[in-house]
Amino acid sequence: MDWKLELVPLPVTDVDRAKDFYVNKVGFHADHDHQVNENLRFVQLTPPGSACSLVLGTGITEMPPGSQKGLQLVVSDIHAARDQLKANGVDVSEIDVQPWGHFIYFADPDGNTWTVQFIPRDADVPEVQPIPEDFV
């Protein structure tokens, strides 16, 4: 049986501001925006190429706005991703190069934080060392 993560709640203070940020600055697709009633608004946004979406709105989650930390996206070109975010006015970090990947970081207007990772080709990744026998 497959267990697929397909929807992650994102706590925000201003739904329209958050939707604008994710669609027009980060580049997510706006899937749904439905006002169910005065206490429930459902906005679903999906990163390009992702099988997992975000849901934000009113009446969606009890998490305080800005409390979603460390959501991660994976891209095929970290430079292009950073350039796109920067060009759209997102305050994005410099590229952080680590042996297991290259990363950039940003936050939305409420302080929810994101990591964007580029996974280097196998030839660029240091060879994994076996676990010593006395470790197990």
Side-chain angles (χ1 to χ4, degrees):
M1 168 181 10
D2 291 338
W3 294 44
K4 299 177 182 179
L5 179 63
E6 294 190 359
L7 195 63
V8 174
L10 191 69
V12 300
T13 55
D14 182 323
V15 177
D16 292 319
R17 177 183 71 174
K19 180 181 176 185
D20 179 68
F21 176 81
Y22 284 103
V23 171
N24 296 316
K25 293 189 181 250
V26 182
F28 288 11
H29 181 262
D31 302 320
H32 304 287
D33 186 341
H34 187 72
Q35 185 77 45
V36 178
N37 58 47
E38 65 182 37
N39 298 315
L40 182 60
R41 179 177 173 192
F42 184 89
V43 178
Q44 183 173 325
L45 310 172
T46 305
S50 180
C52 186
S53 300
L54 295 178
V55 61
L56 52 96
T58 52
I60 299 296
T61 181
E62 294 181 15
M63 292 185 293
S67 63
Q68 189 68 280
K69 304 294 184 190
L71 292 168
Q72 186 159 319
L73 300 164
V74 177
V75 297
S76 60
D77 186 333
I78 197 72
H79 296 281
R82 185 178 186 283
D83 290 347
Q84 175 185 323
L85 291 171
K86 193 90 169 148
N88 290 337
V90 176
D91 183 16
V92 61
S93 72
E94 296 295 327
I95 297 172
D96 175 18
V97 177
Q98 298 295 329
W100 55 90
H102 304 173
F103 302 87
I104 54 176
Y105 311 94
F106 70 93
D108 72 11
D110 285 294
N112 297 299
T113 63
W114 290 84
T115 299
V116 181
Q117 178 185 24
F118 163 71
I119 302 170
R121 293 176 290 132
D122 290 341
D124 296 337
V125 177
E127 191 172 314
V128 176
Q129 299 299 316
I131 298 173
E133 289 181 27
D134 60 342
F135 183 77
V136 181

